[in-house]
Amino acid sequence: MSDVNLQIARQRPLLGAGVGSFPGQFERFNVQPGQPRISFAYATPHNEYFDVTVQTGLLGLAVFFYWLYTQWKMSKRLDADVAPLAQAIPVLLMVGGLFNSLISSSAEGYLCCYFIGLCAAAFTPREAEQQEPANPHTPCVETVPADA
């Protein structure tokens, strides 16, 4: 099956064949001389990297890796109780992506995306952390001198 995936990816290496195109592309390239034809269509290539590359090309694969990298990078700025979970998610997607198309075709992928959102909700920008908290006893209204 990986040979068919490589053939599909080589046809449109930069931008891919389009989102959701894998089953049709697999059916088209599945005919091999001297090999028995697989009679059922695969919905995914059972590899996240092939899935992203076939559908969105090398450009989409680069964006996918950048997305995982930014998740890892931003997880280091989270509180210590949330950071391990936020760091485990990209690792899970990278390792699990070798054996299945987690994001596009499984409940595990939806669960990972759910936890990514929860971890992102705990994120606060560094600028907000560095600002001094507002003094609750400071009046909100400026006083104007009577001379003015």
mmCIF file of all heavy atoms in Angstrom, residues 47-99:
data_model
loop_
_atom_site.group_PDB
_atom_site.id
_atom_site.type_symbol
_atom_site.label_atom_id
_atom_site.label_comp_id
_atom_site.label_asym_id
_atom_site.label_seq_id
_atom_site.Cartn_x
_atom_site.Cartn_y
_atom_site.Cartn_z
ATOM 1 N N ASN A 47 -1.607 6.195 7.543
ATOM 2 C CA ASN A 47 -0.373 6.895 7.893
ATOM 3 C C ASN A 47 -0.670 8.383 7.720
ATOM 4 O O ASN A 47 -0.986 8.820 6.611
ATOM 5 C CB ASN A 47 0.766 6.443 6.983
ATOM 6 C CG ASN A 47 2.079 7.104 7.307
ATOM 7 O OD1 ASN A 47 2.181 8.311 7.408
ATOM 8 N ND2 ASN A 47 3.107 6.281 7.452
ATOM 9 N N GLU A 48 -0.580 9.132 8.810
ATOM 10 C CA GLU A 48 -0.947 10.554 8.757
ATOM 11 C C GLU A 48 -0.079 11.332 7.771
ATOM 12 O O GLU A 48 -0.561 12.221 7.075
ATOM 13 C CB GLU A 48 -0.820 11.180 10.152
ATOM 14 C CG GLU A 48 -1.428 12.542 10.265
ATOM 15 C CD GLU A 48 -2.947 12.481 10.222
ATOM 16 O OE1 GLU A 48 -3.551 11.761 11.024
ATOM 17 O OE2 GLU A 48 -3.520 13.171 9.365
ATOM 18 N N TYR A 49 1.185 10.982 7.683
ATOM 19 C CA TYR A 49 2.101 11.721 6.813
ATOM 20 C C TYR A 49 1.770 11.499 5.334
ATOM 21 O O TYR A 49 1.796 12.438 4.542
ATOM 22 C CB TYR A 49 3.546 11.340 7.124
ATOM 23 C CG TYR A 49 3.844 11.500 8.604
ATOM 24 C CD1 TYR A 49 4.115 10.409 9.407
ATOM 25 C CD2 TYR A 49 3.796 12.755 9.208
ATOM 26 C CE1 TYR A 49 4.363 10.549 10.761
ATOM 27 C CE2 TYR A 49 4.034 12.906 10.555
ATOM 28 C CZ TYR A 49 4.319 11.805 11.325
ATOM 29 O OH TYR A 49 4.546 11.960 12.663
ATOM 30 N N PHE A 50 1.464 10.251 4.971
ATOM 31 C CA PHE A 50 1.015 9.981 3.603
ATOM 32 C C PHE A 50 -0.323 10.657 3.327
ATOM 33 O O PHE A 50 -0.544 11.200 2.254
ATOM 34 C CB PHE A 50 0.883 8.480 3.342
ATOM 35 C CG PHE A 50 2.153 7.800 2.952
ATOM 36 C CD1 PHE A 50 2.538 6.629 3.555
ATOM 37 C CD2 PHE A 50 2.964 8.330 1.957
ATOM 38 C CE1 PHE A 50 3.711 5.993 3.187
ATOM 39 C CE2 PHE A 50 4.131 7.706 1.580
ATOM 40 C CZ PHE A 50 4.511 6.539 2.204
ATOM 41 N N ASP A 51 -1.212 10.607 4.310
ATOM 42 C CA ASP A 51 -2.533 11.198 4.140
ATOM 43 C C ASP A 51 -2.426 12.699 3.863
ATOM 44 O O ASP A 51 -3.024 13.215 2.919
ATOM 45 C CB ASP A 51 -3.372 10.944 5.387
ATOM 46 C CG ASP A 51 -4.849 11.178 5.177
ATOM 47 O OD1 ASP A 51 -5.298 11.175 4.012
ATOM 48 O OD2 ASP A 51 -5.562 11.358 6.175
ATOM 49 N N VAL A 52 -1.636 13.392 4.664
ATOM 50 C CA VAL A 52 -1.464 14.839 4.475
ATOM 51 C C VAL A 52 -0.757 15.125 3.158
ATOM 52 O O VAL A 52 -1.140 16.031 2.416
ATOM 53 C CB VAL A 52 -0.700 15.456 5.669
ATOM 54 C CG1 VAL A 52 -0.307 16.894 5.405
ATOM 55 C CG2 VAL A 52 -1.538 15.376 6.939
ATOM 56 N N THR A 53 0.261 14.345 2.829
ATOM 57 C CA THR A 53 1.024 14.584 1.599
ATOM 58 C C THR A 53 0.183 14.324 0.356
ATOM 59 O O THR A 53 0.219 15.107 -0.594
ATOM 60 C CB THR A 53 2.288 13.706 1.566
ATOM 61 O OG1 THR A 53 3.041 13.947 2.751
ATOM 62 C CG2 THR A 53 3.142 14.025 0.366
ATOM 63 N N VAL A 54 -0.585 13.248 0.337
ATOM 64 C CA VAL A 54 -1.427 12.947 -0.820
ATOM 65 C C VAL A 54 -2.467 14.043 -1.020
ATOM 66 O O VAL A 54 -2.703 14.496 -2.132
ATOM 67 C CB VAL A 54 -2.101 11.564 -0.665
ATOM 68 C CG1 VAL A 54 -3.229 11.389 -1.657
ATOM 69 C CG2 VAL A 54 -1.076 10.459 -0.843
ATOM 70 N N GLN A 55 -3.070 14.504 0.066
ATOM 71 C CA GLN A 55 -4.158 15.473 -0.058
ATOM 72 C C GLN A 55 -3.676 16.904 -0.256
ATOM 73 O O GLN A 55 -4.273 17.649 -1.032
ATOM 74 C CB GLN A 55 -5.054 15.408 1.179
ATOM 75 C CG GLN A 55 -5.787 14.093 1.284
ATOM 76 C CD GLN A 55 -6.764 14.094 2.421
ATOM 77 O OE1 GLN A 55 -7.554 15.017 2.560
ATOM 78 N NE2 GLN A 55 -6.718 13.060 3.241
ATOM 79 N N THR A 56 -2.617 17.305 0.457
ATOM 80 C CA THR A 56 -2.199 18.712 0.416
ATOM 81 C C THR A 56 -0.769 18.913 -0.058
ATOM 82 O O THR A 56 -0.295 20.049 -0.081
ATOM 83 C CB THR A 56 -2.365 19.359 1.809
ATOM 84 O OG1 THR A 56 -1.557 18.652 2.748
ATOM 85 C CG2 THR A 56 -3.808 19.341 2.254
ATOM 86 N N GLY A 57 -0.078 17.859 -0.410
ATOM 87 C CA GLY A 57 1.270 17.967 -0.955
ATOM 88 C C GLY A 57 2.332 18.243 0.102
ATOM 89 O O GLY A 57 2.065 18.245 1.300
ATOM 90 N N LEU A 58 3.534 18.481 -0.379
ATOM 91 C CA LEU A 58 4.651 18.763 0.530
ATOM 92 C C LEU A 58 4.446 20.073 1.274
ATOM 93 O O LEU A 58 4.882 20.216 2.413
ATOM 94 C CB LEU A 58 5.962 18.783 -0.245
ATOM 95 C CG LEU A 58 6.376 17.436 -0.836
ATOM 96 C CD1 LEU A 58 7.621 17.596 -1.694
ATOM 97 C CD2 LEU A 58 6.603 16.409 0.259
ATOM 98 N N LEU A 59 3.756 21.005 0.642
ATOM 99 C CA LEU A 59 3.444 22.262 1.315
ATOM 100 C C LEU A 59 2.539 22.009 2.525
ATOM 101 O O LEU A 59 2.775 22.527 3.618
ATOM 102 C CB LEU A 59 2.781 23.229 0.343
ATOM 103 C CG LEU A 59 2.496 24.623 0.870
ATOM 104 C CD1 LEU A 59 3.787 25.349 1.210
ATOM 105 C CD2 LEU A 59 1.720 25.416 -0.161
ATOM 106 N N GLY A 60 1.524 21.198 2.357
ATOM 107 C CA GLY A 60 0.636 20.850 3.462
ATOM 108 C C GLY A 60 1.353 20.056 4.539
ATOM 109 O O GLY A 60 1.084 20.235 5.729
ATOM 110 N N LEU A 61 2.275 19.184 4.142
ATOM 111 C CA LEU A 61 3.048 18.423 5.124
ATOM 112 C C LEU A 61 3.929 19.355 5.945
ATOM 113 O O LEU A 61 4.056 19.190 7.161
ATOM 114 C CB LEU A 61 3.882 17.349 4.428
ATOM 115 C CG LEU A 61 4.622 16.384 5.336
ATOM 116 C CD1 LEU A 61 3.643 15.557 6.164
ATOM 117 C CD2 LEU A 61 5.524 15.471 4.518
ATOM 118 N N ALA A 62 4.521 20.349 5.290
ATOM 119 C CA ALA A 62 5.335 21.332 6.016
ATOM 120 C C ALA A 62 4.482 22.127 7.005
ATOM 121 O O ALA A 62 4.905 22.368 8.144
ATOM 122 C CB ALA A 62 6.030 22.277 5.036
ATOM 123 N N VAL A 63 3.287 22.505 6.598
ATOM 124 C CA VAL A 63 2.377 23.218 7.504
ATOM 125 C C VAL A 63 1.979 22.318 8.674
ATOM 126 O O VAL A 63 1.907 22.762 9.818
ATOM 127 C CB VAL A 63 1.130 23.730 6.743
ATOM 128 C CG1 VAL A 63 0.074 24.245 7.687
ATOM 129 C CG2 VAL A 63 1.533 24.806 5.750
ATOM 130 N N PHE A 64 1.747 21.031 8.401
ATOM 131 C CA PHE A 64 1.396 20.079 9.453
ATOM 132 C C PHE A 64 2.519 19.976 10.480
ATOM 133 O O PHE A 64 2.280 20.025 11.697
ATOM 134 C CB PHE A 64 1.083 18.718 8.834
ATOM 135 C CG PHE A 64 0.769 17.645 9.827
ATOM 136 C CD1 PHE A 64 -0.416 17.679 10.543
ATOM 137 C CD2 PHE A 64 1.639 16.598 10.040
ATOM 138 C CE1 PHE A 64 -0.718 16.686 11.468
ATOM 139 C CE2 PHE A 64 1.353 15.607 10.951
ATOM 140 C CZ PHE A 64 0.170 15.649 11.673
ATOM 141 N N PHE A 65 3.761 19.841 10.014
ATOM 142 C CA PHE A 65 4.892 19.766 10.940
ATOM 143 C C PHE A 65 5.065 21.076 11.709
ATOM 144 O O PHE A 65 5.394 21.063 12.893
ATOM 145 C CB PHE A 65 6.190 19.412 10.207
ATOM 146 C CG PHE A 65 6.316 17.949 9.909
ATOM 147 C CD1 PHE A 65 6.592 17.518 8.638
ATOM 148 C CD2 PHE A 65 6.171 16.997 10.903
ATOM 149 C CE1 PHE A 65 6.718 16.170 8.346
ATOM 150 C CE2 PHE A 65 6.285 15.647 10.638
ATOM 151 C CZ PHE A 65 6.564 15.233 9.359
ATOM 152 N N TYR A 66 4.845 22.201 11.045
ATOM 153 C CA TYR A 66 4.937 23.489 11.733
ATOM 154 C C TYR A 66 3.859 23.591 12.806
ATOM 155 O O TYR A 66 4.110 24.107 13.896
ATOM 156 C CB TYR A 66 4.830 24.651 10.741
ATOM 157 C CG TYR A 66 4.956 25.987 11.403
ATOM 158 C CD1 TYR A 66 6.185 26.435 11.867
ATOM 159 C CD2 TYR A 66 3.839 26.799 11.587
ATOM 160 C CE1 TYR A 66 6.304 27.664 12.496
ATOM 161 C CE2 TYR A 66 3.954 28.024 12.210
ATOM 162 C CZ TYR A 66 5.184 28.452 12.665
ATOM 163 O OH TYR A 66 5.294 29.661 13.295
ATOM 164 N N TRP A 67 2.665 23.096 12.526
ATOM 165 C CA TRP A 67 1.574 23.092 13.509
ATOM 166 C C TRP A 67 1.973 22.273 14.738
ATOM 167 O O TRP A 67 1.762 22.715 15.881
ATOM 168 C CB TRP A 67 0.320 22.534 12.850
ATOM 169 C CG TRP A 67 -0.870 22.424 13.727
ATOM 170 C CD1 TRP A 67 -1.552 23.438 14.344
ATOM 171 C CD2 TRP A 67 -1.547 21.218 14.096
ATOM 172 N NE1 TRP A 67 -2.601 22.936 15.054
ATOM 173 C CE2 TRP A 67 -2.629 21.580 14.918
ATOM 174 C CE3 TRP A 67 -1.345 19.886 13.786
ATOM 175 C CZ2 TRP A 67 -3.503 20.640 15.450
ATOM 176 C CZ3 TRP A 67 -2.226 18.956 14.309
ATOM 177 C CH2 TRP A 67 -3.285 19.338 15.136
ATOM 178 N N LEU A 68 2.551 21.093 14.533
ATOM 179 C CA LEU A 68 3.003 20.277 15.658
ATOM 180 C C LEU A 68 4.121 20.973 16.426
ATOM 181 O O LEU A 68 4.144 20.954 17.659
ATOM 182 C CB LEU A 68 3.472 18.905 15.163
ATOM 183 C CG LEU A 68 2.399 17.995 14.589
ATOM 184 C CD1 LEU A 68 3.030 16.744 13.996
ATOM 185 C CD2 LEU A 68 1.370 17.628 15.645
ATOM 186 N N TYR A 69 5.041 21.604 15.703
ATOM 187 C CA TYR A 69 6.144 22.325 16.336
ATOM 188 C C TYR A 69 5.626 23.471 17.204
ATOM 189 O O TYR A 69 6.082 23.665 18.330
ATOM 190 C CB TYR A 69 7.111 22.848 15.271
ATOM 191 C CG TYR A 69 8.097 23.855 15.798
ATOM 192 C CD1 TYR A 69 9.166 23.452 16.593
ATOM 193 C CD2 TYR A 69 7.955 25.208 15.522
ATOM 194 C CE1 TYR A 69 10.058 24.382 17.096
ATOM 195 C CE2 TYR A 69 8.845 26.136 16.010
ATOM 196 C CZ TYR A 69 9.900 25.717 16.800
ATOM 197 O OH TYR A 69 10.777 26.638 17.300
ATOM 198 N N THR A 70 4.672 24.243 16.691
ATOM 199 C CA THR A 70 4.157 25.371 17.476
ATOM 200 C C THR A 70 3.400 24.884 18.706
ATOM 201 O O THR A 70 3.458 25.531 19.754
ATOM 202 C CB THR A 70 3.243 26.291 16.640
ATOM 203 O OG1 THR A 70 2.199 25.531 16.066
ATOM 204 C CG2 THR A 70 4.021 27.019 15.577
ATOM 205 N N GLN A 71 2.724 23.742 18.598
ATOM 206 C CA GLN A 71 2.079 23.182 19.790
ATOM 207 C C GLN A 71 3.117 22.845 20.849
ATOM 208 O O GLN A 71 2.932 23.124 22.029
ATOM 209 C CB GLN A 71 1.300 21.924 19.433
ATOM 210 C CG GLN A 71 0.038 22.183 18.697
ATOM 211 C CD GLN A 71 -0.663 20.882 18.397
ATOM 212 O OE1 GLN A 71 -0.665 19.948 19.189
ATOM 213 N NE2 GLN A 71 -1.268 20.813 17.243
ATOM 214 N N TRP A 72 4.199 22.219 20.419
ATOM 215 C CA TRP A 72 5.265 21.850 21.360
ATOM 216 C C TRP A 72 5.891 23.105 21.968
ATOM 217 O O TRP A 72 6.100 23.184 23.171
ATOM 218 C CB TRP A 72 6.320 21.023 20.639
ATOM 219 C CG TRP A 72 7.435 20.621 21.551
ATOM 220 C CD1 TRP A 72 8.617 21.259 21.723
ATOM 221 C CD2 TRP A 72 7.452 19.513 22.440
ATOM 222 N NE1 TRP A 72 9.375 20.614 22.652
ATOM 223 C CE2 TRP A 72 8.684 19.528 23.112
ATOM 224 C CE3 TRP A 72 6.545 18.497 22.720
ATOM 225 C CZ2 TRP A 72 9.030 18.574 24.055
ATOM 226 C CZ3 TRP A 72 6.901 17.550 23.667
ATOM 227 C CH2 TRP A 72 8.130 17.589 24.316
ATOM 228 N N LYS A 73 6.168 24.081 21.132
ATOM 229 C CA LYS A 73 6.809 25.310 21.600
ATOM 230 C C LYS A 73 5.914 26.068 22.583
ATOM 231 O O LYS A 73 6.383 26.521 23.627
ATOM 232 C CB LYS A 73 7.136 26.189 20.392
ATOM 233 C CG LYS A 73 7.902 27.429 20.716
ATOM 234 C CD LYS A 73 8.229 28.188 19.448
ATOM 235 C CE LYS A 73 8.845 29.516 19.763
ATOM 236 N NZ LYS A 73 9.071 30.308 18.568
ATOM 237 N N MET A 74 4.634 26.195 22.253
ATOM 238 C CA MET A 74 3.718 26.924 23.128
ATOM 239 C C MET A 74 3.450 26.156 24.424
ATOM 240 O O MET A 74 3.148 26.764 25.445
ATOM 241 C CB MET A 74 2.404 27.202 22.403
ATOM 242 C CG MET A 74 2.564 28.087 21.182
ATOM 243 S SD MET A 74 3.398 29.636 21.508
ATOM 244 C CE MET A 74 2.023 30.616 22.002
ATOM 245 N N SER A 75 3.573 24.847 24.395
ATOM 246 C CA SER A 75 3.320 24.062 25.611
ATOM 247 C C SER A 75 4.342 24.376 26.696
ATOM 248 O O SER A 75 4.040 24.242 27.882
ATOM 249 C CB SER A 75 3.345 22.570 25.300
ATOM 250 O OG SER A 75 4.654 22.141 24.995
ATOM 251 N N LYS A 76 5.517 24.818 26.321
ATOM 252 C CA LYS A 76 6.549 25.153 27.305
ATOM 253 C C LYS A 76 6.210 26.421 28.074
ATOM 254 O O LYS A 76 6.787 26.681 29.112
ATOM 255 C CB LYS A 76 7.898 25.288 26.617
ATOM 256 C CG LYS A 76 8.387 23.975 26.052
ATOM 257 C CD LYS A 76 9.735 24.120 25.420
ATOM 258 C CE LYS A 76 10.174 22.765 24.905
ATOM 259 N NZ LYS A 76 11.546 22.791 24.441
ATOM 260 N N ARG A 77 5.256 27.193 27.555
ATOM 261 C CA ARG A 77 4.862 28.429 28.223
ATOM 262 C C ARG A 77 3.626 28.253 29.098
ATOM 263 O O ARG A 77 3.134 29.212 29.669
ATOM 264 C CB ARG A 77 4.607 29.510 27.173
ATOM 265 C CG ARG A 77 5.888 29.877 26.431
ATOM 266 C CD ARG A 77 5.671 30.796 25.288
ATOM 267 N NE ARG A 77 5.027 32.039 25.673
ATOM 268 C CZ ARG A 77 4.669 32.967 24.805
ATOM 269 N NH1 ARG A 77 4.900 32.786 23.524
ATOM 270 N NH2 ARG A 77 4.083 34.063 25.204
ATOM 271 N N LEU A 78 3.130 27.046 29.194
ATOM 272 C CA LEU A 78 1.959 26.774 30.024
ATOM 273 C C LEU A 78 2.376 26.487 31.460
ATOM 274 O O LEU A 78 3.547 26.221 31.748
ATOM 275 C CB LEU A 78 1.180 25.588 29.464
ATOM 276 C CG LEU A 78 0.498 25.800 28.131
ATOM 277 C CD1 LEU A 78 -0.056 24.488 27.610
ATOM 278 C CD2 LEU A 78 -0.611 26.825 28.251
ATOM 279 N N ASP A 79 1.400 26.511 32.346
ATOM 280 C CA ASP A 79 1.654 26.160 33.740
ATOM 281 C C ASP A 79 2.141 24.723 33.831
ATOM 282 O O ASP A 79 1.852 23.889 32.972
ATOM 283 C CB ASP A 79 0.376 26.308 34.570
ATOM 284 C CG ASP A 79 -0.064 27.761 34.692
ATOM 285 O OD1 ASP A 79 0.808 28.654 34.618
ATOM 286 O OD2 ASP A 79 -1.279 27.990 34.860
ATOM 287 N N ALA A 80 2.843 24.416 34.917
ATOM 288 C CA ALA A 80 3.449 23.094 35.082
ATOM 289 C C ALA A 80 2.418 21.975 35.147
ATOM 290 O O ALA A 80 2.727 20.835 34.793
ATOM 291 C CB ALA A 80 4.311 23.074 36.342
ATOM 292 N N ASP A 81 1.200 22.271 35.561
ATOM 293 C CA ASP A 81 0.198 21.206 35.636
ATOM 294 C C ASP A 81 -0.444 20.896 34.286
ATOM 295 O O ASP A 81 -0.978 19.815 34.080
ATOM 296 C CB ASP A 81 -0.885 21.547 36.670
ATOM 297 C CG ASP A 81 -1.542 22.889 36.403
ATOM 298 O OD1 ASP A 81 -0.956 23.708 35.676
ATOM 299 O OD2 ASP A 81 -2.649 23.122 36.938
ATOM 300 N N VAL A 82 -0.386 21.800 33.331
ATOM 301 C CA VAL A 82 -0.985 21.597 32.013
ATOM 302 C C VAL A 82 0.069 21.239 30.963
ATOM 303 O O VAL A 82 -0.225 20.539 29.996
ATOM 304 C CB VAL A 82 -1.754 22.867 31.581
ATOM 305 C CG1 VAL A 82 -2.389 22.693 30.226
ATOM 306 C CG2 VAL A 82 -2.795 23.233 32.613
ATOM 307 N N ALA A 83 1.301 21.683 31.160
ATOM 308 C CA ALA A 83 2.358 21.520 30.155
ATOM 309 C C ALA A 83 2.606 20.067 29.743
ATOM 310 O O ALA A 83 2.744 19.794 28.551
ATOM 311 C CB ALA A 83 3.646 22.177 30.630
ATOM 312 N N PRO A 84 2.662 19.103 30.670
ATOM 313 C CA PRO A 84 2.911 17.721 30.222
ATOM 314 C C PRO A 84 1.845 17.190 29.265
ATOM 315 O O PRO A 84 2.166 16.505 28.297
ATOM 316 C CB PRO A 84 2.936 16.917 31.528
ATOM 317 C CG PRO A 84 3.305 17.905 32.566
ATOM 318 C CD PRO A 84 2.696 19.202 32.137
ATOM 319 N N LEU A 85 0.594 17.510 29.524
ATOM 320 C CA LEU A 85 -0.470 17.085 28.621
ATOM 321 C C LEU A 85 -0.318 17.747 27.259
ATOM 322 O O LEU A 85 -0.429 17.102 26.221
ATOM 323 C CB LEU A 85 -1.843 17.415 29.211
ATOM 324 C CG LEU A 85 -3.038 17.140 28.301
ATOM 325 C CD1 LEU A 85 -3.158 15.657 27.991
ATOM 326 C CD2 LEU A 85 -4.314 17.673 28.919
ATOM 327 N N ALA A 86 -0.026 19.042 27.278
ATOM 328 C CA ALA A 86 0.139 19.781 26.025
ATOM 329 C C ALA A 86 1.346 19.292 25.235
ATOM 330 O O ALA A 86 1.353 19.370 24.010
ATOM 331 C CB ALA A 86 0.260 21.276 26.312
ATOM 332 N N GLN A 87 2.363 18.789 25.901
ATOM 333 C CA GLN A 87 3.533 18.248 25.205
ATOM 334 C C GLN A 87 3.287 16.825 24.726
ATOM 335 O O GLN A 87 3.858 16.394 23.728
ATOM 336 C CB GLN A 87 4.756 18.294 26.121
ATOM 337 C CG GLN A 87 5.219 19.694 26.395
ATOM 338 C CD GLN A 87 6.285 19.769 27.462
ATOM 339 O OE1 GLN A 87 6.545 18.806 28.164
ATOM 340 N NE2 GLN A 87 6.897 20.931 27.596
ATOM 341 N N ALA A 88 2.434 16.097 25.413
ATOM 342 C CA ALA A 88 2.157 14.709 25.017
ATOM 343 C C ALA A 88 1.321 14.647 23.744
ATOM 344 O O ALA A 88 1.456 13.691 22.972
ATOM 345 C CB ALA A 88 1.443 13.981 26.157
ATOM 346 N N ILE A 89 0.480 15.639 23.513
ATOM 347 C CA ILE A 89 -0.415 15.587 22.355
ATOM 348 C C ILE A 89 0.348 15.591 21.029
ATOM 349 O O ILE A 89 0.113 14.724 20.187
ATOM 350 C CB ILE A 89 -1.457 16.715 22.420
ATOM 351 C CG1 ILE A 89 -2.389 16.481 23.615
ATOM 352 C CG2 ILE A 89 -2.266 16.790 21.144
ATOM 353 C CD1 ILE A 89 -3.261 17.651 23.951
ATOM 354 N N PRO A 90 1.301 16.532 20.790
ATOM 355 C CA PRO A 90 2.034 16.458 19.513
ATOM 356 C C PRO A 90 2.859 15.186 19.374
ATOM 357 O O PRO A 90 2.967 14.638 18.278
ATOM 358 C CB PRO A 90 2.925 17.697 19.507
ATOM 359 C CG PRO A 90 2.587 18.490 20.685
ATOM 360 C CD PRO A 90 1.645 17.711 21.538
ATOM 361 N N VAL A 91 3.399 14.692 20.498
ATOM 362 C CA VAL A 91 4.162 13.437 20.436
ATOM 363 C C VAL A 91 3.234 12.287 20.057
ATOM 364 O O VAL A 91 3.576 11.446 19.212
ATOM 365 C CB VAL A 91 4.877 13.169 21.779
ATOM 366 C CG1 VAL A 91 5.494 11.786 21.807
ATOM 367 C CG2 VAL A 91 5.928 14.232 22.039
ATOM 368 N N LEU A 92 2.057 12.249 20.652
ATOM 369 C CA LEU A 92 1.078 11.224 20.316
ATOM 370 C C LEU A 92 0.697 11.289 18.845
ATOM 371 O O LEU A 92 0.630 10.262 18.161
ATOM 372 C CB LEU A 92 -0.173 11.379 21.182
ATOM 373 C CG LEU A 92 -1.356 10.507 20.805
ATOM 374 C CD1 LEU A 92 -1.107 9.078 21.258
ATOM 375 C CD2 LEU A 92 -2.628 11.041 21.400
ATOM 376 N N LEU A 93 0.471 12.491 18.341
ATOM 377 C CA LEU A 93 0.095 12.636 16.934
ATOM 378 C C LEU A 93 1.235 12.239 15.998
ATOM 379 O O LEU A 93 0.998 11.659 14.943
ATOM 380 C CB LEU A 93 -0.350 14.071 16.647
ATOM 381 C CG LEU A 93 -1.689 14.474 17.265
ATOM 382 C CD1 LEU A 93 -1.935 15.957 17.057
ATOM 383 C CD2 LEU A 93 -2.814 13.657 16.696
ATOM 384 N N MET A 94 2.474 12.538 16.389
ATOM 385 C CA MET A 94 3.613 12.184 15.531
ATOM 386 C C MET A 94 3.849 10.673 15.508
ATOM 387 O O MET A 94 4.067 10.099 14.448
ATOM 388 C CB MET A 94 4.869 12.914 15.992
ATOM 389 C CG MET A 94 4.823 14.401 15.694
ATOM 390 S SD MET A 94 6.239 15.297 16.312
ATOM 391 C CE MET A 94 7.517 14.651 15.265
ATOM 392 N N VAL A 95 3.813 10.040 16.677
ATOM 393 C CA VAL A 95 4.053 8.597 16.741
ATOM 394 C C VAL A 95 2.848 7.831 16.204
ATOM 395 O O VAL A 95 2.985 6.918 15.393
ATOM 396 C CB VAL A 95 4.397 8.160 18.181
ATOM 397 C CG1 VAL A 95 4.500 6.648 18.286
ATOM 398 C CG2 VAL A 95 5.697 8.809 18.627
ATOM 399 N N GLY A 96 1.654 8.204 16.650
ATOM 400 C CA GLY A 96 0.447 7.534 16.173
ATOM 401 C C GLY A 96 0.218 7.736 14.690
ATOM 402 O O GLY A 96 -0.359 6.882 14.025
ATOM 403 N N GLY A 97 0.703 8.871 14.154
ATOM 404 C CA GLY A 97 0.561 9.159 12.732
ATOM 405 C C GLY A 97 1.334 8.212 11.839
ATOM 406 O O GLY A 97 1.047 8.107 10.648
ATOM 407 N N LEU A 98 2.300 7.513 12.398
ATOM 408 C CA LEU A 98 3.034 6.518 11.611
ATOM 409 C C LEU A 98 2.170 5.304 11.288
ATOM 410 O O LEU A 98 2.419 4.604 10.308
ATOM 411 C CB LEU A 98 4.279 6.059 12.364
ATOM 412 C CG LEU A 98 5.373 7.099 12.553
ATOM 413 C CD1 LEU A 98 6.426 6.588 13.523
ATOM 414 C CD2 LEU A 98 5.996 7.448 11.219
ATOM 415 N N PHE A 99 1.158 5.047 12.104
ATOM 416 C CA PHE A 99 0.373 3.818 11.983
ATOM 417 C C PHE A 99 -1.093 4.040 11.636
ATOM 418 O O PHE A 99 -1.801 3.086 11.351
ATOM 419 C CB PHE A 99 0.462 3.025 13.287
ATOM 420 C CG PHE A 99 1.874 2.827 13.740
ATOM 421 C CD1 PHE A 99 2.392 3.550 14.797
ATOM 422 C CD2 PHE A 99 2.701 1.940 13.073
ATOM 423 C CE1 PHE A 99 3.706 3.380 15.204
ATOM 424 C CE2 PHE A 99 4.019 1.767 13.467
ATOM 425 C CZ PHE A 99 4.518 2.489 14.535
#
